[in-house]
Amino acid sequence: MTLEAAVPSANYGSSASNSSFYAAMRILPRDQREAMFQIYSFCRQVDDIADSDGPRDERLAALQEWRNDIEALYRGHPPARLVDYVGSVKTFGLKREDFLAIVDGMEMDVPQDIRAPDMATLDLYCDRVASAVGRLSVRVFGLPEEDGIQLAHHLGRALQLTNILRDIDEDAGLGRLYLPREALLHAGITSDDPNRVINERALAKVCLPLTQRAKAHFEQSDEIMNRNRRRIVRAPRIMSRYYHSILDLLIARGFNAPREPVRVSKVTRILILLRYALI
């Protein structure tokens, strides 16, 4: 899971994730920046619960506590860990259902590890762990309602699909496989054992259609950002360009084992910031 995929959300704690997220958020005015870091903190905490190695029933209980706390926040009785969120919720009109959707998304990994979900389930997962965070974020950025919802939809899915393609081996190490069942079967792969699937010679036949799906979402999000003022889409632009660069590197590298990790170069990151941050 990832906040990057969620911010226009998932390895919320990875150094690569933090570098691009912080670079994108630091250009925001103070009140927007604080709201975004609150959203990040919330996502990080519920993600840590989902990804911990604690007993599954304890993780489910901990996620339910977060649901209870979100409900209390919106009833006007915020618990201590959400007191600072009151101002951001009021200022930016953050929606209760989006916070709860994020918890629901994290919970999808808990009762049992996700393995080869059907495409509808994968899309629901992307909506919860990525686009829901995007819906919170675009309110902070100040996009018009309809364009904001559509940007969250497309950019959230683009970033999350890129994360899934990037983290195939890491996820397999956790016993998880996010590649869709339909694509696996189409490529002649019948197993849902992550460690078997990642070594299949036909894996590229599964991944390449997902790269095209991610590209289509990037294109849709670009169209939305192009028709909005440059200043209010600076942060999602940075996130989009950074993750589009990752996708391009993945395509150039290929998906057959062994797969070397891909990293966006420092020069590329600086160029992205210079192009979109200095407005």
Side-chain angles (χ1 to χ4, degrees):
M1 294 176 284
T2 202
L3 178 62
E4 308 239 334
V7 177
S9 276
N11 291 327
Y12 289 90
S14 72
S15 58
S17 295
N18 284 339
S19 63
S20 56
F21 173 77
Y22 278 93
M25 297 310 120
R26 286 186 183 280
I27 66 173
L28 297 172
R30 182 177 178 179
D31 58 342
Q32 292 179 318
R33 186 170 64 249
E34 289 180 351
M36 286 306 304
F37 281 117
Q38 288 167 359
I39 294 169
Y40 175 87
S41 175
F42 168 76
C43 293
R44 175 66 183 271
Q45 291 179 77
V46 293
D47 184 58
D48 284 349
I49 293 170
D51 282 351
S52 76
D53 56 4
R56 294 182 188 273
D57 58 344
E58 292 182 8
R59 284 185 276 163
L60 290 171
L63 290 173
Q64 184 57 48
E65 289 181 8
W66 272 105
R67 287 194 186 88
N68 296 340
D69 284 353
I70 292 297
E71 295 287 2
L73 169 66
Y74 280 85
R75 288 197 304 268
H77 305 288
R81 60 182 173 181
L82 292 178
V83 168
D84 292 343
Y85 287 58
V86 173
S88 296
V89 167
K90 291 181 178 179
T91 299
F92 300 110
L94 305 182
K95 300 295 185 181
R96 161 187 164 277
E97 55 265 31
D98 292 326
F99 282 109
L100 294 176
I102 295 166
V103 180
D104 291 342
M106 302 303 173
E107 190 175 80
M108 291 176 73
D109 281 310
V110 178
Q112 58 186 11
D113 294 318
I114 290 182
R115 292 191 174 187
D118 60 46
M119 185 60 77
T121 301
L122 176 62
D123 190 65
L124 176 62
Y125 177 78
C126 290
D127 184 80
R128 288 173 169 176
V129 304
S131 293
V133 189
R135 290 191 290 272
L136 292 171
S137 303
V138 293
R139 293 182 181 279
V140 175
F141 300 149
L143 271 84
E145 179 77 11
E146 184 173 349
D147 274 356
I149 296 299
Q150 288 301 309
L151 180 59
H153 174 92
H154 289 294
L155 190 51
R157 283 161 170 79
L159 302 185
Q160 189 62 36
L161 288 172
T162 301
N163 275 319
I164 288 169
L165 292 165
R166 181 193 64 186
D167 296 339
I168 290 171
D169 296 296
E170 182 178 342
D171 290 332
L174 297 172
R176 296 171 181 172
L177 179 66
Y178 295 98
L179 301 177
R181 184 175 303 276
E182 296 93 329
L184 291 168
L185 293 175
H186 184 73
I189 300 174
T190 57
S191 174
D192 65 358
D193 181 337
N195 290 305
R196 285 190 58 183
V197 171
I198 64 174
N199 289 299
E200 290 278 357
R201 296 181 64 181
L203 187 63
K205 294 181 180 179
V206 180
C207 295
L208 289 176
L210 287 183
T211 68
Q212 296 306 309
R213 183 180 291 265
K215 279 189 171 184
H217 283 302
F218 275 122
E219 290 172 1
Q220 291 289 327
S221 64
D222 283 344
E223 289 182 11
I224 297 166
M225 289 188 283
N226 287 342
R227 62 177 179 252
N228 282 275
R229 290 184 295 115
R230 285 171 58 89
R231 181 165 293 277
I232 66 173
V233 296
R234 288 183 302 166
R237 279 281 196 197
I238 292 170
M239 301 297 296
S240 175
R241 289 300 95 198
Y242 180 87
Y243 261 77
H244 206 306
S245 297
I246 291 176
L247 184 63
D248 289 341
L249 290 171
L250 290 170
I251 294 170
R253 181 205 64 187
F255 293 96
N256 291 330
R259 288 168 290 274
E260 291 294 322
V262 302
R263 293 181 177 84
V264 179
S265 71
K266 184 176 181 180
V267 171
T268 299
R269 294 198 303 268
I270 291 172
L271 290 174
I272 291 171
L273 285 173
L274 289 175
R275 180 174 181 183
Y276 297 111
L278 302 178
I279 299 175

